[in-house]
Amino acid sequence: MAGGRHSVRTARDGRSTRVVAVVGAVVVVVLAAAGVGVVRALTGGCDTVEQYSLAVAPSIEPAVSSVLSENADTHCYEFTVDTAEPGDVAGLLGKGIDAPDLWIPDARWWASRAAPTAAGPVQMIAGAVASTPAVLVGPPGAVPEVSSWRAALAIPDLVLGNPLRTGVAAAPIRAALAETQDDPVAVGTVRTAMVPLAQKESIRTEEAPSGADLLATIGADGIGVATEQQVLAFTTANESALEARVPDNGSILLEYPVVVTSPVPDRHHRATDAARVLIEVLGTEKALDVFHDHGFRGPDGEPLPDGRGIGGVPLLSLRDEAMAEEALGAWSLMALPIRTLVAIDVSGSMRFPAGDGTRMDLTVRAALAGNAMFPDSVSAGLWAFSQDLGGDGQDYLELVPIRRYDTDVDGRTQREVMAAQAEKVPGLVGGGTGLYDTTLAAFRAVQQSYDPRAVNSVIVLTDGANEDPDSITEAQLLEILAREQDPARPVIVVTIGITEDADAQTLAEISRVTGGSSYVARDPADIANVFVNALADRGER
């Protein structure tokens, strides 16, 4: 048969998936079972058909699938094309589970960004199969003329998206850095311009829109960030009028590379050969016509034919990736809300005098102060722990599950529930310190319920060393924490030692292996300040 076929199926997470066979001289049949269409290459010129998963950015998936379904090749490969935002794919690469063999993200820089935390090698084979410039978009006549992307970031109510998830949202930040990269003072102003955008993101209760969803939210007078291709596709599909323009000094080009991401060494090597075949198919003149039809420019960034799009624009380029990483790190600190599980030691020694009360009194007072001052976007839960507190050898007791402070819980807010339970903690004091088992259980609990839109942490407050003879050892705890820490789902453990009796060295080691910080409140009067700092701790992200 001259070419492959494709069909659409739905993955377990609801993402659209196409199975596209790129084969030569084979017979292709479509099998249908339980409503799922699957393409299989059988007999003919192929001894075997090698199957590879290909994750692509949502905007380019229709074009890639169209090219693959219309082209034949002398090799026998089958590609399962799955749409996913680049930030989500980077997370899968960090886990090494369900990671795709091949990847076409919406910008070249995703390869270098994902590589440090990936479970296997991340190898960019082709710099770009298509490209498109970043643009400002809005209703006709509403998009302001601005001199630079730094000025664009200051547009009131700019709809940006999440730069930790899509290259499109990161593009204006990168462009602003490219404009200022030779002026250290001006570079600092880019971060200043990011602050209100990041803070607006921090109070969002769901993932920021992207692509067509973002364009649909712009409304009558909103201004957003998109690409030339997204605007062309949206206006065609929705028969709507949107205006796209770039700042006076130009724009930054989003290039769609082919990246080999299979985490298994032997399969990674074979996937590299499949990637080269894929690049050949996507690099033909016929393929370029398809990309043009879908609104994409070629790899060289030359304007679209027939006068479509925004035409020729000066292209900005960021020379130092470290600048972008620093800026996105700052965004993470400003935009990601706090999500934490607070575990309070209620062992017998917490009855010891401290300041104008007991260690427990001061700890509860500190917890209440922190609980009162943080915004509604914070999510927190509360555990108490001492030896066998939970019964059957369990050293911890859940008092409040993790919820946002503004969540309604039977007529009270989560903040009010946290305060009420914290005031009851002194009534639980007694027994030995069950530090190690509790720390591990809390770490796993937060990791299991991980929120990718937040900084996930555990805060452990304790005045002593582990006293549970039946628990894991310190060495075992540290080894397990290091082994189970997932770069794609990081959970930091922040430890607070209460008075000099706390095992400061062990607490510091627990925090170190998870990327968290450790504090010791040697003066009882410092407990409240230390706790507030710990609650805001976002680790070494």
Side-chain angles (χ1 to χ4, degrees), residues 143-147 245-248:
V143 184
E145 294 185 15
V146 290
S147 60
R245 63 169 28 177
V246 299
D248 296 341

Side-chain angles (χ1 to χ4, degrees), residues 18-35:
R18 297 179 187 267
V19 181
V20 183
V22 180
V23 297
V26 299
V27 177
V28 179
V29 299
V30 179
L31 307 178

Side-chain angles (χ1 to χ4, degrees), residues 161-174:
N162 182 358
L164 303 178
R165 190 166 183 251
T166 75
V168 180
I173 296 173
R174 295 178 61 91

Side-chain angles (χ1 to χ4, degrees), residues 47 67 111 115 138 143 149 164 184 187 231 247 267-268 290 323 369 375 438 469 474 500 524:
D47 292 333
V67 171
V143 184
W149 280 100
L164 303 178
V187 167
V231 175
R267 184 168 178 81
H268 184 96
V290 174
M323 294 179 65
T438 298
E474 175 187 344
E500 293 283 0

Side-chain angles (χ1 to χ4, degrees), residues 232-268:
L232 289 172
F234 183 83
T235 54
T236 299
N238 296 277
E239 298 182 350
S240 61
L242 286 175
E243 177 186 11
R245 63 169 28 177
V246 299
D248 296 341
N249 62 350
S251 187
I252 197 165
L253 198 64
L254 283 86
E255 300 163 296
Y256 293 71
V258 174
V259 186
V260 181
T261 51
S262 176
V264 181
D266 182 57
R267 184 168 178 81
H268 184 96

Side-chain angles (χ1 to χ4, degrees), residues 217-526:
T217 66
I218 289 177
D221 56 1
I223 306 299
V225 175
T227 67
E228 176 186 62
Q229 183 275 331
Q230 288 176 333
V231 175
L232 289 172
F234 183 83
T235 54
T236 299
N238 296 277
E239 298 182 350
S240 61
L242 286 175
E243 177 186 11
R245 63 169 28 177
V246 299
D248 296 341
N249 62 350
S251 187
I252 197 165
L253 198 64
L254 283 86
E255 300 163 296
Y256 293 71
V258 174
V259 186
V260 181
T261 51
S262 176
V264 181
D266 182 57
R267 184 168 178 81
H268 184 96
H269 177 74
R270 299 197 308 274
T272 301
D273 293 334
R276 293 193 174 99
V277 171
L278 179 64
I279 292 164
E280 289 178 10
V281 173
L282 298 179
T284 63
E285 285 297 320
K286 186 176 180 180
L288 181 59
D289 290 341
V290 174
F291 284 125
H292 282 166
D293 289 344
H294 284 80
F296 287 98
R297 302 185 179 203
D300 56 9
E302 288 296 310
L304 290 166
D306 303 323
R308 298 169 64 214
I310 60 174
V313 295
L315 295 178
L316 302 167
S317 178
L318 181 61
R319 297 188 300 270
D320 186 359
E321 279 298 315
M323 294 179 65
E325 284 302 305
E326 183 179 351
L328 290 177
W331 177 280
S332 175
L333 293 177
M334 292 184 288
L336 297 184
I338 297 165
R339 179 176 184 272
T340 192
L341 174 56
V342 180
I344 297 179
D345 183 355
V346 293
S347 60
S349 58
M350 291 292 283
R351 291 197 187 98
F352 290 0
D356 58 357
T358 65
R359 294 174 181 177
M360 189 78 263
D361 293 335
L362 295 182
T363 300
V364 169
R365 198 179 306 166
L368 291 172
N371 188 65
M373 71 173 292
F374 277 84
D376 286 344
S377 59
V378 167
S379 297
L382 181 63
W383 284 10
F385 70 95
S386 67
Q387 188 176 350
D388 202 32
L389 179 65
D392 295 326
Q394 178 176 295
D395 292 342
Y396 61 90
L397 181 66
E398 181 183 67
L399 302 178
V400 186
I402 299 175
R403 292 182 288 239
R404 271 179 58 111
Y405 273 162
D406 57 359
T407 301
D408 182 272
V409 184
D410 298 327
R412 295 187 297 173
T413 65
Q414 172 77 351
R415 189 190 304 275
E416 292 170 334
V417 172
M418 287 282 288
Q421 289 299 315
E423 290 175 343
K424 295 179 180 179
V425 167
L428 300 174
V429 173
T433 304
L435 176 61
Y436 299 158
D437 284 350
T438 298
T439 299
L440 180 58
F443 173 85
R444 286 173 168 171
V446 173
Q447 192 176 62
Q448 185 176 14
S449 59
Y450 188 84
D451 181 355
R453 295 197 64 258
V455 175
N456 294 255
S457 65
V458 174
I459 300 176
V460 179
L461 299 96
T462 181
D463 71 340
N466 187 69
E467 297 173 329
D468 181 359
D470 298 322
S471 80
I472 58 175
T473 66
E474 175 187 344
Q476 289 172 325
L477 172 63
L478 297 176
E479 188 274 330
I480 295 171
L481 290 175
R483 184 179 71 243
E484 295 188 2
Q485 179 68 286
D486 184 346
R489 300 163 64 87
V491 174
I492 63 173
V493 178
V494 179
T495 54
I496 302 176
I498 299 172
T499 75
E500 293 283 0
D501 287 350
D503 186 351
Q505 182 174 349
T506 296
L507 295 179
E509 280 297 295
I510 291 171
S511 294
R512 182 191 62 79
V513 297
T514 62
S517 301
S518 185
Y519 305 84
V520 176
R522 291 180 172 83
D523 185 334
D526 292 337

